[in-house]
Amino acid sequence: MLQKLYDWVDERLDITPMWRDIADHEVPEHVNPAHHFSAFIYCFGGLTFFVTVIQILSGMFLTMYYVPDIIHAYESVYYLQNEVTFGVIVRGMHHWGASLVIVMMFLHTLRVFFTGSYKKPRELNWVVGVLIFFVMLGLGFTGYLLPWDMKAYFATVVGLEIAEAVPVVGGFAKALLAGGEIIGAQTLARFFAIHVFFLPGALLGLLGAHFYMIRKQGISGPL
Amino acid sequence: MHRGKGMKFVGDSRVPATRMPNIPKDYSEYPHKTEAFWPNFLLREWMVGAVFLIGYLCLTVAHPSPLERVADPTDSGYIPLPDWYFLFLYQLLKYEYAAGDFTVIGAVVMPGIAFGALLLAPFLDRGVERRPIKRPVATSLMLLGVIATIFLTWESVDQHDWEAAARQGAIVEDEIDEDAEGYQIYMSQQACINCHGEQGEGGAAAPNLFESDYSKEEIMDIIINGQGEMPADLFEGSDEELEIMAEWIENDGEAPE
């Protein structure tokens, strides 16, 4: 039955080459921890992606309760934390995942750096990877404001003060992020939009490019 | 051979006339054991992911994510602190030559050089050597950066007054003693509850009972004679009950000792 369905689609769209590109390839010994335990350093990138997937899923569930305005934001997070079934787990996974993704990405960056894997022909993939790093930091910064509690608010105040210190474009960047002079209702709405739509969109595009280049170029050879 | 713009194709754009270079070496050419990605290697990765997920969930269950009291922009005494992965930058801006008149150095120049170099690393370190020991400049600069980041984060955590911050951010709950005799009397006075609420929390028509600093005598006077929009003579109990309730209000909702 399943085979028939596959054949039906394959006859029309020729999906077998796509499947071969995605899944049908060999994994060399030097990245396989089953052969050399020290190859576990090659797991960091995959684990970063794993946490990213969890962040996307848990974030989708959080938006079912979260209300992005200054009157209700805190109340909705409080309700989510204390009343909703498993709300404390879902919010906890999103909270800790935000830290874990930074940790795993940091380790992955160090692995790629110290194995010299960014060298020709993989320069572009390194650049895309560093851009993913910046997007992740942006996601961390914008997401931190959303609970609208004391630490969230004042961390954002400090962060935007630092942005304002940048010469020439600083004032503009702050006004763009905060939506005006004061950090208030408009800031929360903007951070929500950036955190939920703009940066995840950029992240998915960059991840797509990152993975496409890995498949195209293959993993770097042994040292 | 022609590459990029103007290249020729056979038939349509899916089949280039000349084979593209840079197709990675087949792994079977490495003189070792390879493994199929699907399903063998993916199953191992799945197991690593499962172990990781267990640790992740243990962390989540053991440490519920923090939530402080609702943001109060007027509370200028609050000690601000960004999330931990921004602490290195936050700490850098505390040093003399990276703050004040030199903020541009701490906020733009130093992070700009560090992250710019990270972004452009493949174009700065162009040699063919891949082993860290064979490219000492790149390796030592990266180690320096990592050590500096860890040091700055450590210093920031060390200098932050965590106890004061926990006090400042704590959710304060205004609990009243519902077993107190004063509360029982209060609950019997429908006129009081109508405006001040069942917990004395106040509302559109009346203030919170416990946010004022009146003495017992002043409270009794207000209840008997009214004040502002509050009418006089609504209390329907004995003078002793009035006194007990006034004491309870004076004592911020707790039974007097």
Side-chain angles (χ1 to χ4, degrees):
Chain A
M1 178 62 201
L2 217 55
Q3 185 63 41
K4 268 189 163 174
L5 195 67
Y6 179 89
D7 289 342
W8 190 90
V9 176
D10 193 42
E11 191 186 342
R12 283 155 183 81
L13 290 175
D14 191 23
I15 56 174
T16 299
M18 279 185 244
W19 169 250
R20 291 186 64 102
D21 282 347
I22 292 168
D24 195 10
H25 55 272
E26 295 281 299
V27 176
E29 180 187 340
H30 71 281
V31 303
N32 192 336
H35 291 292
H36 308 281
F37 183 69
S38 62
F40 73 89
I41 58 169
Y42 288 89
C43 285
F44 296 147
L47 289 175
T48 308
F49 180 62
F50 181 59
V51 184
T52 305
V53 171
I54 288 176
Q55 288 301 90
I56 291 171
L57 291 176
S58 59
M60 277 159 51
F61 280 101
L62 289 180
T63 55
M64 295 173 106
Y65 286 92
Y66 180 73
V67 182
D69 77 56
I70 55 171
I71 310 291
H72 302 105
Y74 179 80
E75 292 298 326
S76 65
V77 175
Y78 190 87
Y79 180 73
L80 187 63
Q81 177 88 355
N82 294 293
E83 305 290 337
V84 177
T85 312
F86 294 127
V88 65
I89 299 292
V90 175
R91 179 164 181 257
M93 288 187 80
H94 204 72
H95 172 85
W96 288 109
S99 293
L100 281 176
V101 86
I102 300 280
V103 171
M104 299 319 292
M105 196 166 48
F106 185 65
L107 294 173
H108 175 59
T109 307
L110 291 182
R111 191 282 289 174
V112 173
F113 187 87
F114 286 119
T115 56
S117 302
Y118 56 78
K119 299 200 169 229
K120 191 187 173 186
R122 297 184 177 81
E123 298 98 322
L124 281 177
N125 215 1
W126 169 269
V127 172
V128 168
V130 175
L131 292 180
I132 291 173
F133 204 129
F134 294 159
V135 169
M136 288 290 191
L137 289 177
L139 282 165
F141 180 65
T142 51
Y144 204 63
L145 177 68
L146 300 185
W148 201 251
D149 62 354
M150 287 298 275
K151 63 181 166 50
Y153 183 83
F154 285 98
T156 305
V157 170
V158 171
L160 290 178
E161 270 170 19
I162 294 173
E164 205 178 8
V166 178
V168 190
V169 295
F172 174 73
K174 192 209 158 187
L176 184 71
L177 288 169
E181 285 302 307
I182 55 163
I183 294 166
Q186 189 68 62
T187 316
L188 184 65
R190 290 209 174 182
F191 272 45
F192 180 74
I194 294 169
H195 186 78
V196 174
F197 295 107
F198 288 81
L199 290 181
L203 181 70
L204 290 178
L206 288 168
L207 282 178
H210 205 60
F211 294 154
Y212 174 77
M213 282 189 264
I214 295 170
R215 287 299 301 121
K216 192 79 181 170
Q217 298 175 322
I219 204 160
S220 59
L223 275 178
Chain B
M1 189 188 70
H2 193 97
R3 272 195 271 173
K5 202 176 159 206
M7 71 186 282
K8 288 191 171 58
F9 296 95
V10 177
D12 61 32
S13 62
R14 284 173 299 178
V15 187
T18 46
R19 195 179 138 81
M20 286 285 284
N22 196 29
I23 301 294
K25 197 155 65 158
D26 195 291
Y27 289 126
S28 60
E29 290 177 38
Y30 292 121
H32 293 289
K33 297 173 218 108
T34 62
E35 189 171 49
F37 175 75
W38 174 274
N40 306 32
F41 187 71
L42 201 64
L43 186 65
R44 292 191 207 281
E45 288 205 325
W46 193 275
M47 290 190 288
V48 172
V51 171
F52 183 81
L53 186 62
I54 290 168
Y56 185 175
L57 283 173
C58 287
L59 181 69
T60 303
V61 172
H63 300 279
S65 45
L67 187 65
E68 296 189 342
R69 65 195 163 93
V70 64
D72 177 7
T74 58
D75 188 349
S76 56
Y78 185 81
I79 313 168
L81 195 74
D83 210 355
W84 66 268
Y85 41 87
F86 290 117
L87 285 179
F88 72 97
L89 187 59
Y90 184 60
Q91 179 69 14
L92 180 66
L93 291 167
K94 288 182 187 168
Y95 294 106
E96 196 181 343
Y97 289 105
D101 295 341
F102 301 99
T103 301
V104 172
I105 295 177
V108 184
V109 177
M110 289 170 72
I113 290 174
F115 284 110
L118 189 73
L119 186 66
L120 299 174
F123 309 102
L124 301 172
D125 173 27
R126 302 168 63 97
V128 289
E129 278 296 342
R130 283 182 52 209
R131 289 176 182 278
I133 202 82
K134 296 274 178 60
R135 43 194 182 100
V137 179
T139 303
S140 50
L141 282 175
M142 188 58 156
L143 284 176
L144 194 69
V146 171
I147 290 168
T149 305
I150 292 172
F151 172 76
L152 286 171
T153 306
W154 180 278
E155 281 289 292
S156 182
V157 170
D158 193 44
Q159 289 178 15
H160 186 64
D161 189 344
W162 293 94
E163 283 174 16
R167 270 200 308 281
Q168 286 184 321
I171 298 172
V172 182
E173 300 205 10
D174 291 322
E175 284 285 327
I176 61 169
D177 182 1
E178 297 193 352
D179 293 331
E181 204 184 344
Y183 181 70
Q184 306 298 336
I185 297 167
Y186 177 77
M187 285 301 285
S188 70
Q189 302 295 321
Q190 197 56 45
C192 300
I193 297 168
N194 279 347
C195 293
H196 289 286
E198 289 193 359
Q199 303 285 316
E201 73 273 16
N208 184 317
L209 286 180
F210 310 113
E211 282 179 357
S212 60
D213 288 323
Y214 293 119
S215 70
K216 187 177 97 182
E217 285 71 28
E218 286 169 321
I219 292 169
M220 287 167 69
D221 181 59
I222 291 168
I223 294 171
I224 293 166
N225 298 317
Q227 176 179 304
E229 290 182 22
M230 177 168 158
D233 289 328
L234 284 180
F235 187 78
E236 298 166 348
S238 67
D239 288 350
E240 283 142 32
E241 284 175 331
L242 178 64
E243 197 172 329
I244 292 167
M245 191 177 85
E247 263 182 35
W248 171 74
I249 295 172
E250 182 194 19
N251 215 21
D252 289 337
E254 299 286 326
E257 295 298 322

